[in-house]
Amino acid sequence: MSRIASILTLTLLLGGAALMAALNLLTDPGSAWHVPTYVVSLTGKYLCYAILALSVDLVWGFAGILSLGHAAFFALGGYAMGMYLMRQIGARGVYANANLPDFMVFLNWDSLPWYWWGFGSFPFALLMALLVPGLLAMAFGWLAFRSRVTGVYLSIITQALTYALLLAFFRNDMGFGGNNGLTDFKDILGVPLQLDGTRCALFLASAIVLAGCFLLSRWLVRSRYGKVLIAVRDTESRTRFLGYRPEAYKLVAWTVSAVMAGLGGALYVPQVGIINPGEFAPANSIEAVVWVAVGGRGTLVGPILGAILVNLGKTVFTGALPELWLFALGGLFILVTLFLPRGIVGLFARRRSGGVPLPAEPSSPAEAAAREAAS
């Protein structure tokens, strides 16, 4: 991706977010220029999905790992933030218990479980939103990559991981609210969540974090490490023969992408007001793959565009024909696979080059990576 494209992406993202927040806070609700608060919150949700899509693109587009379980990391980050928000309710819950969340009182829990300790602190909750997905991804990736599990087998295992977590979090005795999850949030950092200013602040935070994840991903894939990672994606066996350890390169990308997804989940929960086991559903991970495919795999900008456009379409489509949305999503994926294999961003890149197909990958990317690393 060129420097101009990156600057344009960041300008549109941050400038558009700042403009939308200003139009919400500084204009009269009756004005034609006013942006309603629900639109701000909805767009903030789209940006959180874009963070998830970007994390998927980092491993699928540049490491060749098709993950069908990235929703697990997104949901774990969301649960960490949801636990903090539940602790902020205090005695304002239905049962007026300052020490236990309402669902624990309802289930006759006597005391707060040890794994809830510390979640009364925002920094601790934010740390856990990054650390828990990162550690899980590191452990999972070390075992999978060390065993040289690749391709469809790895995809199936990632799907099994998120499905196992889905079943676990549905259990009431896990202490995470069972099938109802965590909800009825009141405050964040002592500020009511329902205030327009809070909604705009969360929206702007989502835009800033997305921009930061974009810059981090861009730096990674353009670095010497990124050159080798692309070589691993294309010819792993040849890269191994040249003396590199592909599992180490894949593990770093996998762990970083999980941390990014967890951060997106942490920003998602206070904006939607609920987190439940449904967020672990394998269908959510598959949707994220569709966002990346629609926008353009391996482009970084494409996943952001795809996540926003597909979810905007979902909002409109489910309002009119909700029962047909999954059919429409499946059809969209098939059409993109057949007619837009490089996604929307790839289509524009081809038109800009005068209809000439984009350059193919080098015939021996591992050798190219070795030359880059040695230079």
Side-chain angles (χ1 to χ4, degrees), residues 214-254:
F214 172 79
L215 290 173
L216 173 63
S217 300
R218 184 178 184 275
W219 174 76
L220 278 175
V221 300
R222 291 173 65 89
S223 66
R224 182 176 298 180
Y225 161 82
K227 300 293 185 182
V228 179
L229 185 66
I230 293 173
V232 171
R233 176 196 69 187
D234 294 333
T235 52
E236 182 174 338
S237 58
R238 185 174 296 181
T239 308
R240 190 187 306 276
F241 179 76
L242 289 173
Y244 294 100
R245 297 188 59 185
E247 58 273 12
Y249 286 87
K250 291 195 290 186
L251 183 60
V252 170
W254 177 258

Side-chain angles (χ1 to χ4, degrees), residues 23-39:
L23 291 176
N24 173 262
L25 296 174
L26 304 179
T27 58
D28 186 86
S31 170
W33 294 98
H34 181 73
V35 176
T37 302
Y38 81 88
V39 174

Side-chain angles (χ1 to χ4, degrees), residues 42 47 127 157 192 206 265 319 361 375:
L42 186 63
L47 295 183
L127 177 63
I157 293 175
S206 301
E361 297 290 341
S375 62

Side-chain angles (χ1 to χ4, degrees), residues 22-319:
L23 291 176
N24 173 262
L25 296 174
L26 304 179
T27 58
D28 186 86
S31 170
W33 294 98
H34 181 73
V35 176
T37 302
Y38 81 88
V39 174
V40 172
S41 296
L42 186 63
T43 309
K45 184 176 76 169
Y46 294 165
L47 295 183
C48 294
Y49 285 151
I51 296 173
L52 173 59
L54 189 62
S55 70
V56 172
D57 190 41
L58 183 61
V59 293
W60 187 30
F62 297 94
I65 304 170
L66 176 56
S67 172
L68 298 180
H70 251 55
F73 307 127
F74 185 82
L76 286 172
Y79 263 97
M81 184 55 64
M83 292 165 74
Y84 161 76
L85 295 172
M86 289 296 291
R87 296 292 290 138
Q88 297 307 296
I89 296 175
R92 292 173 294 172
V94 174
Y95 297 101
N97 191 311
N99 298 317
L100 296 177
D102 282 340
F103 72 88
M104 290 187 183
V105 178
F106 178 78
L107 294 172
N108 297 317
W109 288 54
D110 297 325
S111 59
L112 197 68
W114 63 268
Y115 46 84
W116 277 75
W117 297 350
F119 279 95
S121 167
F122 179 81
F124 180 83
L126 185 59
L127 177 63
M128 290 300 104
L130 304 177
L131 198 59
V132 172
L135 290 177
L136 176 62
M138 184 180 295
F140 176 88
W142 185 81
L143 292 172
F145 303 145
R146 182 172 177 268
S147 302
R148 300 188 184 182
V149 181
T150 59
V152 66
Y153 305 104
L154 181 59
S155 298
I156 292 173
I157 293 175
T158 60
Q159 192 173 53
L161 171 67
T162 190
Y163 191 68
L165 288 171
L166 167 70
L167 296 178
F169 274 73
F170 260 121
R171 296 173 58 91
N172 284 326
D173 55 5
M174 283 287 288
F176 297 107
N179 63 313
N180 293 320
L182 310 177
T183 188
D184 195 30
F185 308 133
K186 310 291 187 184
D187 303 332
I188 182 169
L189 295 173
V191 181
L193 279 170
Q194 300 306 319
L195 292 179
D196 290 352
T198 308
R199 295 291 183 178
C200 286
L202 289 168
F203 167 64
L204 289 173
S206 301
I208 292 170
V209 169
L210 176 56
C213 290
F214 172 79
L215 290 173
L216 173 63
S217 300
R218 184 178 184 275
W219 174 76
L220 278 175
V221 300
R222 291 173 65 89
S223 66
R224 182 176 298 180
Y225 161 82
K227 300 293 185 182
V228 179
L229 185 66
I230 293 173
V232 171
R233 176 196 69 187
D234 294 333
T235 52
E236 182 174 338
S237 58
R238 185 174 296 181
T239 308
R240 190 187 306 276
F241 179 76
L242 289 173
Y244 294 100
R245 297 188 59 185
E247 58 273 12
Y249 286 87
K250 291 195 290 186
L251 183 60
V252 170
W254 177 258
T255 304
V256 170
S257 73
V259 171
M260 288 168 51
L263 187 54
L267 287 164
Y268 171 83
V269 168
Q271 296 184 83
V272 301
I274 188 172
I275 177 72
N276 59 40
E279 297 297 338
F280 287 101
N284 293 344
S285 297
I286 296 173
E287 273 200 47
V289 171
V290 174
W291 304 337
V292 175
V294 170
R297 170 187 163 207
T299 62
L300 297 183
V301 173
I304 298 174
L305 181 63
I308 293 174
L309 290 180
V310 173
N311 281 286
L312 178 60
K314 180 179 181 179
T315 300
V316 175
F317 201 94
T318 53

